[in-house]
Amino acid sequence: GAVAGAAAAPRHRPRPPTPVAASGPRLWAMAGQFADGWSSWGGYGVETEADFYAVTAERCERFDELVDRQGRHPETIRHSVVCFPPLTPWESPGYFTEMVGRFRSLGIDEFVLYWPGSWRRDAHHEQHVFEQVISEVIPAFRAEQTNDAIEAGT
């Protein structure tokens, strides 16, 4: 039976990664100290794509500086972003590629994406774009990443 007040130990070895969603200094500090990943989002009042990228760039910089001051290397923590309006990841394969490239240049290495049509119900092309992205664009990103790793090892 269960023991009152006892915490259960993780059953998985190694334990599953623990990401923390945080958009301000207090939670950044916790994420920087304890988390395997940090997730950001645009935020309330973010009306344009330019604002979304600017807010994300500022948060990445501030988070990485805080983590560095804590004595941890920022690159050991996965950085993710939740992509929602004003971003439109399923607009086209080119848009998706550019969006990922812009975020990767900021240090983002994981992307949380909504299902096509979740935000723009009248954008019927999104399902087709989604299929192109998963069958063509993402494999190209993986091949690029593999090539970069091979070059770094030589």
Side-chain angles (χ1 to χ4, degrees):
V3 176
R11 293 179 186 254
H12 299 282
R13 299 272 190 248
R15 67 171 176 71
T18 305
V20 172
S23 60
R26 285 193 351 227
L27 285 176
W28 288 335
M30 291 178 67
Q33 186 174 3
F34 300 110
D36 301 304
W38 162 66
S39 186
S40 184
W41 64 300
Y44 301 112
V46 173
E47 301 292 330
T48 69
E49 289 182 23
D51 291 343
F52 200 112
Y53 289 111
V55 164
T56 304
E58 179 185 348
R59 287 180 184 157
C60 285
E61 183 177 336
R62 291 179 64 197
F63 177 74
D64 288 353
E65 288 171 355
L66 185 145
V67 168
D68 193 51
R69 283 194 310 272
Q70 290 178 328
R72 193 166 173 199
H73 298 288
E75 60 275 1
T76 66
I77 301 171
R78 304 287 300 181
H79 290 47
S80 72
V81 67
V82 180
C83 301
F84 65 93
L87 302 177
T88 56
W90 310 124
E91 184 60 35
S92 70
Y95 180 99
F96 185 90
T97 301
E98 180 183 336
M99 180 192 76
V100 168
R102 288 181 73 179
F103 282 124
R104 287 177 79 183
S105 74
L106 301 176
I108 299 294
D109 48 22
E110 290 184 348
F111 300 86
V112 179
L113 302 160
Y114 285 88
W115 193 254
S118 295
W119 293 102
R120 302 185 309 163
R121 303 237 184 260
D122 60 337
H124 302 291
H125 69 285
E126 289 189 351
Q127 182 64 38
H128 177 69
V129 171
F130 170 77
E131 291 168 8
Q132 286 180 290
V133 166
I134 62 170
S135 66
E136 299 168 21
V137 177
I138 291 175
F141 284 152
R142 286 190 178 130
E144 176 186 310
Q145 188 175 19
T146 300
N147 290 338
D148 289 348
I150 290 169
E151 288 177 15
T154 57

